[in-house]
Amino acid sequence: MNNIPDISFVVPMYNEEDVIATFFSTMDKTLKKIPQYTYEFICVNDGSKDKTLPILKEYATKDRRIKIISFSRNFYKEQALFAGLEASSGRCVIPMDADLQDPPALILKFIKKWQEGYEVVYGVRTERTKDTLIKRITANLFYKIFNFIADRPIPANTGDYRLMDRKVVDAILQIKENKLFMKGIFSWVGFKSCGVEYQRPKRAAGKTKFNYWKLWNFALDGITASTTLPLRIWTYIGSFIAAISGLYALYIIGRTLFMGVSVPGYASLLVCILFFGSVQLIVLGIFGEYIGRIFMEVKRRPRYIIDEKINLIEHDKI
Ligand code: UDP
Ligand code: MG
């Protein structure tokens, strides 16, 4: 008898003590509607400092389908997701947030599309009225900029909530990068995909774990992980500025030859020095971003450290 479940739910959790009970009870109700599908939960405790782990353990002793990977510290959501994918064994995998902002009712639609032959079915947020205005604007801007410059666009308003066939998960697991940007990776692997729309509800309980500074850094990481355009673009900008400078130089030389030396020019000189100085600093900053990335990658540290595993037996993948 094979004990591969049909669906693996991968749930990263960081200080989620307030929502765990609601999460499991809501999932229970939803899964009762599809009794023909077997499932497992891979809950990744991402170094929570509250009672997340003990609460999870209680659930895990009652139900062996609830499996836990507990990190030694907070390694961030991307690493938690990857660890969950590595430990999952289902015929398809659904990563979900613990806070019920990824509505479980959508699972039924995901599965329907999967049965129709789609290998990736992702949730598309139609309206984000429950998010703050700034979050909506910045998120929109991020998708616009990202899709303009990235090699592989990501569908706008798509999070990590999706169903992936085992084939897709195995493809993702071949990726050796250390610093992960899962949204980029999801779209990079390709496969037959479609979107299902949903309205993103409010957090069921607890607080968001992402402040704007974290989101900003996350956006930078996402871009440097997905494209080298910010590096390449300077060849063109440089050539353009060089061409203009060349023409201006010719004009200055000509004017000096024919009309003699004219001393004024302090303002233009200062503007040029400041302008080119700042352009160079910006370029250095961008180089720095990529060098930092190379540095992190060549260190080859493990993506995360596991402190404890529960209900994951040896023949499971992790
Ligand atoms: N999360 C995590 N590690 C972190 C931050 C968040 O595992 O360092 C988890 C969190 O517990 C939740 C999911 O990632 O299950 C999404 O986080 P959150 O709801 O705070 O993000 P938002 O929905 O506000 O973007
Ligand atoms: Mg949330």
Side-chain angles (χ1 to χ4, degrees):
M1 199 196 106
N2 84 47
N3 47 10
I4 296 176
D6 294 319
I7 316 167
S8 298
F9 295 101
V10 169
V11 195
M13 295 186 183
Y14 177 51
N15 294 343
E16 298 290 7
E17 60 180 8
D18 296 329
V19 289
I20 298 178
T22 333
F23 174 75
F24 281 121
S25 64
T26 318
M27 285 302 283
D28 204 43
K29 272 184 222 140
T30 310
L31 290 167
K32 283 214 172 92
K33 292 184 191 152
I34 41 167
Q36 68 276 35
Y37 290 95
T38 54
Y39 60 87
E40 66 174 359
F41 284 96
I42 313 279
C43 300
V44 187
N45 171 40
D46 186 12
S48 301
K49 294 182 189 75
D50 64 359
K51 296 202 188 65
T52 300
L53 185 59
I55 297 174
L56 272 179
K57 280 182 178 171
E58 267 174 47
Y59 278 94
T61 42
K62 279 184 248 151
D63 187 346
R64 286 187 54 81
R65 291 172 300 184
I66 298 179
K67 306 173 182 185
I68 308 173
I69 300 174
S70 186
F71 284 175
S72 61
R73 65 166 171 87
N74 181 229
F75 279 92
Y76 305 129
K77 185 184 173 188
E78 307 298 289
Q79 322 290 329
L81 272 180
F82 203 88
L85 294 185
E86 283 185 311
S88 70
S89 54
R91 287 174 44 231
C92 75
V93 178
I94 304 183
M96 286 182 92
D97 288 358
D99 59 4
L100 292 170
Q101 281 198 288
D102 296 337
L106 212 64
I107 294 167
L108 311 179
K109 289 188 186 164
F110 281 174
I111 290 178
K112 198 157 161 274
K113 289 279 177 196
W114 179 45
Q115 297 302 2
E116 283 171 22
Y118 289 99
E119 283 138 350
V120 179
V121 191
Y122 52 82
V124 183
R125 302 161 189 175
T126 47
E127 52 166 304
R128 304 174 60 139
T129 42
K130 302 290 184 311
D131 282 334
T132 61
L133 185 67
I134 305 179
K135 174 104 189 236
R136 267 181 283 160
I137 293 173
T138 47
N140 250 327
L141 205 65
F142 171 73
Y143 286 113
K144 287 245 160 63
I145 296 174
F146 186 94
N147 286 340
F148 185 66
I149 63 177
D151 306 332
R152 286 275 322 159
I154 46 180
N157 292 319
T158 306
D160 299 320
Y161 190 29
R162 59 190 59 225
L163 178 149
M164 290 174 287
D165 188 82
R166 173 52 42 193
K167 251 202 289 190
V168 182
V169 176
D170 285 343
I172 291 172
L173 293 181
Q174 288 176 40
I175 287 171
K176 299 277 182 288
E177 270 164 60
N178 194 299
K179 259 194 146 207
L180 303 157
F181 179 62
M182 293 309 280
K183 284 198 234 303
I185 290 174
F186 287 151
S187 97
W188 181 81
V189 291
F191 292 102
K192 197 176 166 204
S193 316
C194 73
V196 176
E197 294 191 336
Y198 73 101
Q199 290 188 3
R200 192 156 170 83
K202 253 196 169 120
R203 222 177 202 282
K207 281 200 304 254
T208 173
K209 309 297 178 303
F210 290 94
N211 56 34
Y212 285 106
W213 179 242
K214 268 197 190 168
L215 283 174
W216 165 252
N217 284 309
F218 185 48
L220 284 186
D221 279 343
I223 289 172
T224 50
S226 312
T227 170
T228 52
L229 192 77
L231 290 175
R232 240 183 298 155
I233 201 171
W234 294 102
T235 321
Y236 303 106
I237 296 179
S239 314
F240 177 69
I241 295 177
I244 293 182
S245 311
L247 289 176
Y248 189 58
L250 282 179
Y251 162 72
I252 299 276
I253 292 169
R255 204 180 64 174
T256 315
L257 283 178
F258 294 109
M259 299 170 72
V261 182
S262 64
V263 178
Y266 173 75
S268 53
L269 208 62
L270 196 69
V271 168
C272 282
I273 292 173
L274 290 178
F275 176 71
F276 289 108
S278 11
V279 168
Q280 281 169 11
L281 283 179
I282 294 172
V283 178
L284 277 180
I286 293 175
F287 282 6
E289 285 291 331
Y290 283 90
I291 294 172
R293 245 196 122 70
I294 299 170
F295 176 65
M296 296 310 283
E297 293 297 332
V298 296
K299 284 204 284 192
R300 282 270 148 259
R301 291 205 180 158
R303 293 193 183 95
Y304 49 81
I305 303 289
I306 296 176
D307 174 30
E308 218 180 329
K309 284 184 263 178
I310 290 153
N311 287 347
L312 281 159
I313 33 179
E314 279 317 306
H315 70 260
D316 279 332
K317 287 194 183 159
I318 202 162

